Amino acid sequence: MNGLVKGGLALGGLVLGLGALRRALNPRPRYAPWEKPRYEEFENKVLVVGGGFGGYTTATKLCQLTRKREDVGVLVLARDNFFTFWPMVPGVVSSDIDPRNVAQPLRRALIQAGASFRRAEVKSIDHERKVVQSRGGIEFPYDHLVISLGGQPNFFGIPGVEEYSLTMKSVGDAERIRNRVIERLEEVSLTRGEVPESKLTFVVIGAGATGVETASELHTLVHEHLAPDYPNIDANRVRIFLIEGLPNILPELDPVLRRAARTRLHNQRIAVMTETLAEEITADCVKLKGGGDIATENVIWTAGNRPNVAINDLGLPVEERTGIKVDEFLRVEDHPGIWAIGDCASVRDVRQEDGKVVPPTAQAAIQQGYVVARNILATIDGREDDLERFVYKPIGQLVELGSDFAVNEVMGVRFSGQLAAIFWRMAYLVRLNSPQSKARVAADWILSLFLKPAVTQLRSVDE
Ligand SMILES: Cc1cc2nc3c(=O)[nH]c(=O)nc-3n(C[C@H](O)[C@H](O)[C@H](O)COP(=O)(O)OP(=O)(O)OC[C@H]3O[C@@H](n4cnc5c(N)ncnc54)[C@H](O)[C@@H]3O)c2cc1C
């Protein structure tokens, strides 16, 4: 009898626990569908253009700060209806990360927070009427407008880059790179006779964090995941080059960590060439400045970023290289009610005297999102004296080189190796917005200890 009661209690506890877990993974939206007011009906309409790190943070923070108020409505307008969790995008190349988990559902997350969402591409702003016009000709009114349109690759006018290289600026780009590797291995496995070196040579240009991580993921893809599927091709015939114009890779990191990263790349048979500039890219080679070339049909460009060119059509003051000009409170110069943040904004780093701008990173965009949300609310409430200056507080940098090695610098503490890789995973896992993505990524990582990912070339992504 006693055992039966205990068993019943344990079962009851298990059911309750599972119910709580289900609720935590599927939070309820702030408004039931029938009680959600229309965005246009709110007294203060805050329109956020862009649903990435900056835009998403602004919208959700504003919703959180106005939870008990009914006078502030938030609408997010973005080209994509998913939120790209950029730090995990290089992992898509090797298939260590499932693309569905880094492209998280934006609409669902925003609705749950209490905001509205429309998928639309911004075209222009009618400043007189205070409306944003989309490419489809739809107008969205605003009292406050936040612009966070992100960045795009910068090709610096180098001939052939745009035409012949793959970029790394979307989940689709990462899938394209993986498909290219598989395509080349399939081609080579069909070839009788001599295979040109250029087919199996991959050149990553730019050795910042994205370039280093991409080169390393290429190594993992070829040597760990694909090599057993292509027993007729010696994986060591695949050559990976990482080229960088500056004297060092990962220039923003401490020299000790740079050395650790370089040793790791060397062990992965990745040829690192610093102080090397690409002068031209053709269909089958990278021509180097000062002579010499690398025969390759596979170039990946990660060497430069610039603000999204869409900002040039918005009638706002723009500094071409760094973005929309804002003051220390993130207000666009001479445009009351308009704010700009993230990679498309030129935000001065007030900690530095030489007028340097804040670097285009997710952590900067998130911090700016918090500040702009508070500043908009202070402006709505007529508390102009409470406006907060934006002071960038860099937390550090984490760079993963394969699933079992990372180089990390967190609040001045530097560490590298396998423990650093575990830290990398934990730090980013908790930062994923969607509880479902968190659970799925964690499950994938645990499973990967026992199972290799299934790597296939899905044709849904154009080559
Ligand atoms: C591969 C990669 C890895 C990275 N890893 C890291 C990292 O580990 N740590 C780190 O701190 N930073 C990292 N970054 C940089 C970081 O991702 C950016 O700095 C950050 O995303 C900037 O936030 P944002 O809001 O300005 O832009 P994004 O997050 O890029 O968001 C831009 C938004 O604008 C929308 N949009 C674009 N054009 C239009 C349009 N015309 N109309 C409407 N909407 C539009 C997009 O749909 C998107 O919602 C990485 C970047 C890349 C490319």
Side-chain angles (χ1 to χ4, degrees):
M1 189 65 189
N2 213 359
L4 212 65
V5 172
K6 274 190 191 156
L9 283 175
L11 190 67
L14 182 70
V15 170
L16 283 176
L18 286 176
L21 180 65
R22 192 165 191 273
R23 276 194 299 283
L25 291 176
N26 299 282
R28 292 170 73 82
R30 177 181 172 194
Y31 296 102
W34 56 88
E35 62 179 33
K36 171 96 174 90
R38 282 171 55 79
Y39 163 75
E40 287 79 5
E41 290 164 5
F42 282 99
E43 189 186 332
N44 297 291
K45 291 172 272 301
V46 182
L47 181 60
V48 180
V49 182
F53 277 96
Y56 176 83
T57 308
T58 307
T60 47
K61 185 70 192 170
L62 258 172
C63 287
Q64 188 204 345
L65 294 172
T66 57
R67 219 174 163 75
K68 299 219 168 81
R69 304 171 48 155
E70 296 298 336
D71 62 329
V72 181
V74 182
L75 171 68
V76 176
L77 202 72
R79 186 188 52 196
D80 311 304
N81 66 2
F82 53 83
F83 172 102
T84 307
F85 191 77
W86 293 108
M88 286 188 184
V89 171
V92 173
V93 171
S94 66
S95 294
D96 274 347
I97 297 281
D98 186 325
R100 284 175 309 163
N101 296 329
V102 280
Q104 305 166 86
L106 183 57
R107 179 177 275 280
R108 183 186 297 174
L110 289 168
I111 302 293
Q112 276 165 353
S116 301
F117 174 78
R118 297 287 179 275
R119 194 193 66 186
E121 213 168 317
V122 66
K123 192 174 133 228
S124 54
I125 302 173
D126 185 332
H127 293 269
E128 288 269 294
R129 293 169 47 232
K130 289 190 152 197
V131 290
V132 165
Q133 289 148 337
S134 77
R135 288 226 168 270
I138 300 173
E139 296 194 329
F140 299 88
Y142 66 83
D143 297 301
H144 284 271
L145 172 62
V146 182
I147 301 174
S148 186
L149 289 169
Q152 64 179 63
N154 191 349
F155 302 123
F156 303 109
I158 299 173
V161 180
E162 204 164 349
E163 204 177 344
Y164 296 112
S165 64
L166 297 166
T167 51
M168 186 58 175
K169 199 66 186 89
S170 69
V171 177
D173 283 349
E175 289 189 288
R176 248 170 238 119
I177 294 170
R178 184 181 61 213
N179 280 354
R180 173 68 67 86
V181 175
I182 300 174
E183 185 63 34
R184 292 294 180 242
L185 292 175
E186 292 293 353
E187 274 175 49
V188 170
S189 66
L190 286 175
T191 307
R192 302 274 167 271
E194 191 81 355
V195 176
E197 241 182 18
S198 58
K199 286 268 177 234
L200 289 180
T201 301
F202 291 79
V203 178
V204 179
I205 303 182
T210 302
V212 167
E213 290 187 340
T214 304
S216 217
E217 293 296 334
L218 278 172
H219 168 89
T220 305
L221 175 66
V222 172
H223 289 263
E224 292 180 28
H225 301 339
L226 290 175
D229 300 347
Y230 295 88
N232 298 336
I233 302 173
D234 175 3
N236 291 328
R237 281 173 64 198
V238 177
R239 301 186 309 159
I240 304 172
F241 287 85
L242 177 62
I243 70 177
E244 168 60 52
L246 296 173
N248 292 304
I249 65 164
L250 299 169
E252 56 292 335
L253 275 190
D254 178 83
V256 176
L257 291 180
R258 271 189 230 144
R259 270 199 297 281
R262 215 165 159 152
T263 307
R264 167 72 173 186
L265 292 167
H266 177 76
N267 293 342
Q268 291 179 317
R269 305 170 65 97
I270 295 169
V272 179
M273 298 164 72
T274 47
E275 294 186 90
T276 305
L277 289 168
E279 197 173 53
E280 187 183 349
I281 294 170
T282 68
D284 57 9
C285 91
V286 174
K287 293 190 179 154
L288 303 174
K289 198 166 179 183
D293 52 38
I294 305 172
T296 177
E297 293 174 45
N298 316 293
V299 178
I300 297 147
W301 179 262
T302 69
N305 266 313
R306 51 162 303 164
N308 189 330
V309 290
I311 61 172
N312 297 334
D313 300 327
L314 304 183
L316 298 172
V318 167
E319 211 279 288
E320 199 195 326
R321 218 171 32 83
T322 48
I324 301 172
K325 293 184 193 168
V326 294
D327 66 12
E328 57 192 335
F329 304 111
L330 306 173
R331 298 178 295 198
V332 176
E333 283 178 7
D334 307 321
H335 287 76
I338 307 190
W339 313 72
I341 57 173
D343 289 7
C344 75
S346 182
V347 181
R348 217 173 68 74
D349 190 344
V350 293
R351 300 167 311 144
Q352 313 213 25
E353 277 163 14
D354 54 4
K356 270 202 181 143
V357 293
V358 171
T361 62
Q363 39 181 316
I366 291 171
Q367 292 173 22
Q368 288 162 11
Y370 288 136
V371 170
V372 95
R374 289 193 285 266
N375 282 352
I376 287 177
L377 213 53
T379 311
I380 288 174
D381 294 342
R383 294 182 283 109
E384 248 83 14
D385 290 347
D386 288 350
L387 284 185
E388 208 178 300
R389 283 169 86 215
F390 176 71
V391 184
Y392 180 44
K393 299 178 194 81
I395 304 159
Q397 199 173 0
L398 316 179
V399 183
E400 196 193 38
L401 294 97
S403 58
D404 59 350
F405 192 93
V407 288
N408 299 341
E409 186 163 1
V410 185
M411 295 196 227
V413 181
R414 298 170 200 116
F415 51 117
S416 61
Q418 197 156 13
L419 269 181
I422 294 170
F423 183 91
W424 187 101
R425 292 192 160 194
M426 292 304 127
Y428 282 130
L429 189 67
V430 296
R431 277 178 179 76
L432 279 166
N433 306 325
S434 142
Q436 289 96 338
S437 298
K438 275 188 191 145
R440 293 205 168 101
V441 170
D444 280 354
W445 279 342
I446 292 167
L447 277 176
S448 71
L449 296 173
F450 311 99
L451 296 169
K452 291 262 174 242
V455 186
T456 48
Q457 180 185 18
L458 289 180
R459 297 276 185 182
S460 55
V461 177
D462 305 335
E463 251 291 272

